[in-house]
């Protein structure tokens, strides 16, 4: 069994999907022109498919992010989706394999991973180092540095002193459920 990983999946080009993670029970990314990538087994195959669909789109960064989303995120890995407008990080867990389904978030974001939503945590409750990591501009990337903070928040790990003025992170004190 693989150890649990933490992935950040951005919520759309303008952060428009972040607030929908809870209600849609999924996260999604773009690169719609390539179509369904569920049968693509390697980065080279994905690069060729992306280039065939839209010349110039198969850059190493784009290929790597779509490949990680479709092939590397495992069921039970944590997924963090930052939401700019609320300054919160939506915390969920991957609940199944990659799917191509433009009906969930629309045709611009057809690549989805189903998730089990937990809660939203204010950014300020992560240490500055973790916040800096979460601030990457990539669409899909690993952020395993956040795992102990997630576990503490969910009551599955010890209280973690942040070393900052916000105080220690304890289970359940980060945010109320969104639906109150």
């Amino acid at each position: 069994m693989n150890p649990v990983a933490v992935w950040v999946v951005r919520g759309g080009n303008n952060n428009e999907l972040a607030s929908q993670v809870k209600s849609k029970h999924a996260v999604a990314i773009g690169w719609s022109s390539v179509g369904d990538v569920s049968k693509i087994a390697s980065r080279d195959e994905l690069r060729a498919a992306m280039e065939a669909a839209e010349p110039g789109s198969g850059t190493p960064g784009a290929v790597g992010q779509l490949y990680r989303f479709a092939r590397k995120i495992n069921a039970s890995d944590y997924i963090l989706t930052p939401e700019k407008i609320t300054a919160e990080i939506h915390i969920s867990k991957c609940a199944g394999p990659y799917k191509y389904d433009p009906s969930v978030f629309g045709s611009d974001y057809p690549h989805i991973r189903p998730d089990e939503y937990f809660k939203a945590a204010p950014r300020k409750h992560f240490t500055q180092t973790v916040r800096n990591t979460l601030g990457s501009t990539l669409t899909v990337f690993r952020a395993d540095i956040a795992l102990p903070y997630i576990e503490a928040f969910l009551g599955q790990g010890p209280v973690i002193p942040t070393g900052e003025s916000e105080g220690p992170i304890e289970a359940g004190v980060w945010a109320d459920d969104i639906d109150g």
Side-chain angles (χ1 to χ4, degrees), residues 29-32 34-43 45-46 49-50 66-72 96-102 110-114:
I29 62 171
W31 289 290
S32 59
V34 71
D36 186 353
V37 300
S38 60
K39 305 278 191 256
I40 293 176
S42 72
R43 288 175 190 251
E45 284 180 46
L46 179 56
M50 291 175 79
L66 182 52
Y67 186 80
R68 285 188 294 273
F69 187 82
R71 292 279 183 231
K72 296 297 182 180
Y98 161 85
K99 294 179 186 176
Y100 181 83
D101 188 348
H111 305 285
I112 68 163
R113 296 300 296 248

Side-chain angles (χ1 to χ4, degrees), residues 14-15 18 27 39 45 64 75 83 89 94 107 112 119 136 140 171:
N14 297 303
N15 204 231
V27 293
K39 305 278 191 256
E45 284 180 46
E83 185 170 1
I89 309 294
C94 181
S107 61
I112 68 163
K119 281 189 171 184
S136 170
V140 179

Side-chain angles (χ1 to χ4, degrees), residues 90-147:
H90 295 278
I91 301 171
S92 57
K93 199 171 247 199
C94 181
Y98 161 85
K99 294 179 186 176
Y100 181 83
D101 188 348
S103 71
V104 178
F105 286 96
S107 61
D108 288 341
Y109 301 101
H111 305 285
I112 68 163
R113 296 300 296 248
D115 74 359
E116 174 189 354
Y117 187 85
F118 293 118
K119 281 189 171 184
R123 285 180 53 88
K124 70 179 182 178
H125 286 288
F126 289 96
T127 63
Q128 187 63 50
T129 301
V130 174
R131 290 193 304 260
N132 290 346
T133 300
L134 299 179
S136 170
T137 59
L138 296 174
T139 300
V140 179
F141 62 94
R142 291 273 297 258
D144 294 341
I145 191 172
L147 183 59

